[in-house]
Amino acid sequence: MRPLGIVRRIIPCLDVDANVVVKGVNFEGLRIMGDPVELAARYEEEGADEIFLLDITATIEGRKTFLKTVSNVASALNIPLGVGGGIRNLEDADAAFKAGADKVSINTAAVKNPGLITMLSREYGAQSVVVAIDVKKQGNTWRVYVEGGKRETGLDGIEWAKSAEDLGAGELLITSIDADGTRAGYDVELYRVVSKVVNIPVIASGGAGGVKHFVEVLMYADAALAASVFHMGVINIQGLKAYLMEAGIKVRM
Amino acid sequence: MVKVGIINYNVGNLGSLINAFRRVDSEPIIINEPSELMSVDAVVLPGVGSFDAAMSRLGRFRDDLSKVRGSVPMLGICLGLQVMFEGSDEGSLSGLSWYLGRVSRLGGPRVPHIGWDLVRSVRPCEILDGNGYFYFMHSYAVINPGNDLPYSGITRYGDGNILSVLCDKRSMTFGVQFHPEKSGKRQGLEVLRHFIGFVRK
């Protein structure tokens, strides 16, 4: 169990394809959810603690549009903005920061070149470097997948989480591919195991469907990220936070 | 309009700070050269990058900063507050040494300390309206500050008290360990609004 005195965070995540927010199930079947600036501003108003923008476009042209989207969202917000997807090197990270990111997350590039974690951490400080890890359960272990869940790496998720911390990551954003978009609840066991191994904040992602799921996972994770329940109006953030407070989980009201 | 000079360490994102100062009706200007310090009404040491990265850029500013300090109000944010001390566990360069003491690595429970946390107001300060929640993102801080330091806000984290608001009205120097520009429209921007209010007086 993570110390309950620590204030937990609720983070709406916008998967962005160039300039629209989309959302899939188990990383597939994308549907359009809305405008990133409008959604981000609405979530801040509702009490979101920070916002994440993930670039899921694969083209160079799309990347440029995405950076423009980052800058539009950043200028509308008064809370922190995390940016991830497609960050391969120091230059990509720099472009994201210059566009208005307060922190960047790296995933595939960190697996390919773990030294990138250390490099970014030295330059920008660990607090601005998030390592994102996508895992699928296999028996009693979790396997790391990269390239948007398409390629298995052979890495063990828990061991990779520990290495990322040692290399200088300031936070981990761990997504269960099995749970993503299902609304069947977070993979609580995953975060219970990870939180015993690392001492940096862990953001849980994948599977949020109801307010109870947040209570379950925030016993072990420092923050919970979710997308479709917020986009589709299933859960209102203000209501969720009131519920968490009732359940004894400390949040900013 | 109040001209706020934000010193550029050439790393990280100054955009949110620029936006935030515009929102409180001031005119933010990026400062790249020490001579530009003379033409602004207030100076901000921003909170981006790491200690040595910031100090190596600030080296050239050191003399001019000391010259204007006391007549031009200053605000350090996060790392920008930390560089006002003698040194830090994060780097090997020496700080501006305006205040005695060192910046240490946080002891836990989780490092970095990321997220919203409670600032407890222990003395009145021009830039703070009592207790409130603000957004922190840092691994280092001045921990358990001695009474000789002019602080007015502290934040309990793990076993220690973080100096979260420095308030040295006599030298017109202020500092916050949290990020007011990321701490929401109400609480966060209010700190900047108060700072601008102090500059106007």
Side-chain angles (χ1 to χ4, degrees), chain A residues 101-180:
Chain A
D102 298 303
K103 41 179 116 172
V104 297
S105 80
I106 50 171
N107 187 332
T108 306
V111 171
K112 278 192 186 150
N113 171 20
L116 181 61
I117 303 173
T118 315
M119 219 154 58
L120 289 175
S121 183
R122 278 209 193 113
E123 184 77 6
Y124 299 100
Q127 72 284 346
S128 296
V129 182
V130 183
V131 170
I133 305 178
D134 296 339
V135 296
K136 262 189 209 176
K137 195 155 191 184
Q138 234 170 56
N140 283 326
T141 62
W142 290 270
R143 290 279 142 191
V144 177
Y145 281 69
V146 290
E147 288 162 18
K150 287 189 193 69
R151 194 166 68 78
E152 200 198 325
T153 60
L155 286 174
D156 176 83
I158 309 300
E159 283 170 21
W160 174 229
K162 181 71 195 143
S163 310
E165 174 182 34
D166 294 341
L167 288 162
E171 270 184 295
L172 298 173
L173 163 54
I174 304 184
T175 303
S176 157
I177 298 173
D178 309 298
D180 182 66

Side-chain angles (χ1 to χ4, degrees), chain A residues 16-20 36 53 55 57 59-73 99:
Chain A
V16 174
D17 189 350
N19 61 1
V20 288
L53 283 188
D55 180 17
T57 46
T59 63
I60 293 168
E61 215 30 62
R63 181 77 193 166
K64 278 190 203 142
T65 314
F66 174 74
L67 285 173
K68 182 78 190 120
T69 304
V70 170
S71 126
N72 290 340
V73 171

Side-chain angles (χ1 to χ4, degrees), chain B:
Chain B
M1 203 180 298
V2 172
K3 271 192 195 170
V4 180
I6 302 171
I7 298 185
N8 187 9
Y9 315 140
N10 229 3
V11 58
N13 155 29
L14 294 180
S16 354
L17 208 50
I18 294 171
N19 287 334
F21 274 110
R22 283 200 185 119
R23 276 170 207 159
V24 297
D25 298 322
S26 63
E27 187 190 343
I29 295 159
I30 299 288
I31 289 192
N32 290 303
E33 293 302 324
S35 58
E36 294 168 281
L37 290 172
M38 311 301 165
S39 58
V40 292
D41 306 313
V43 172
V44 170
L45 300 167
V48 292
S50 55
F51 194 87
D52 280 359
M55 275 319 302
S56 64
R57 290 280 297 179
L58 277 178
R60 297 191 305 129
F61 287 86
R62 190 187 280 265
D63 293 346
D64 293 279
L65 273 174
S66 302
K67 239 180 265 165
V68 295
R69 184 162 171 258
S71 53
V72 176
M74 297 197 189
L75 175 67
I77 294 173
C78 192
L79 178 63
L81 161 66
Q82 297 173 13
V83 295
M84 295 176 183
F85 289 82
E86 294 170 280
S88 167
D89 287 355
E90 190 184 13
S92 53
L93 296 179
S94 54
L96 296 169
S97 304
W98 293 346
Y99 300 99
L100 294 180
R102 275 184 68 83
V103 176
S104 339
R105 189 169 165 84
L106 296 173
R110 198 82 64 248
V111 184
H113 174 213
I114 296 180
W116 296 79
D117 219 330
L118 183 69
V119 170
R120 212 153 50 79
S121 162
V122 292
R123 273 174 218 104
C125 178
E126 285 70 17
I127 62 167
L128 195 67
D129 281 333
N131 298 350
Y133 272 89
F134 296 92
Y135 196 92
F136 290 79
M137 53 190 297
H138 63 126
S139 302
Y140 301 86
V142 174
I143 300 167
N144 299 329
N147 280 329
D148 43 335
L149 284 174
Y151 66 89
S152 69
I154 52 166
T155 295
R156 185 93 194 151
Y157 192 61
D159 298 332
N161 283 315
I162 293 168
L163 188 167
S164 48
V165 181
L166 181 118
C167 194
D168 184 3
K169 193 177 170 185
R170 229 176 24 175
S171 304
M172 296 194 180
T173 305
F174 302 91
V176 286
Q177 182 51 61
F178 53 83
H179 286 271
E181 76 282 16
K182 316 274 159 62
S183 297
K185 249 179 264 180
R186 285 167 285 274
Q187 293 276 22
L189 290 190
E190 204 53 28
V191 170
L192 300 183
R193 206 169 279 127
H194 286 322
F195 176 68
I196 296 300
F198 178 83
V199 178
R200 280 209 187 96
K201 272 192 236 158

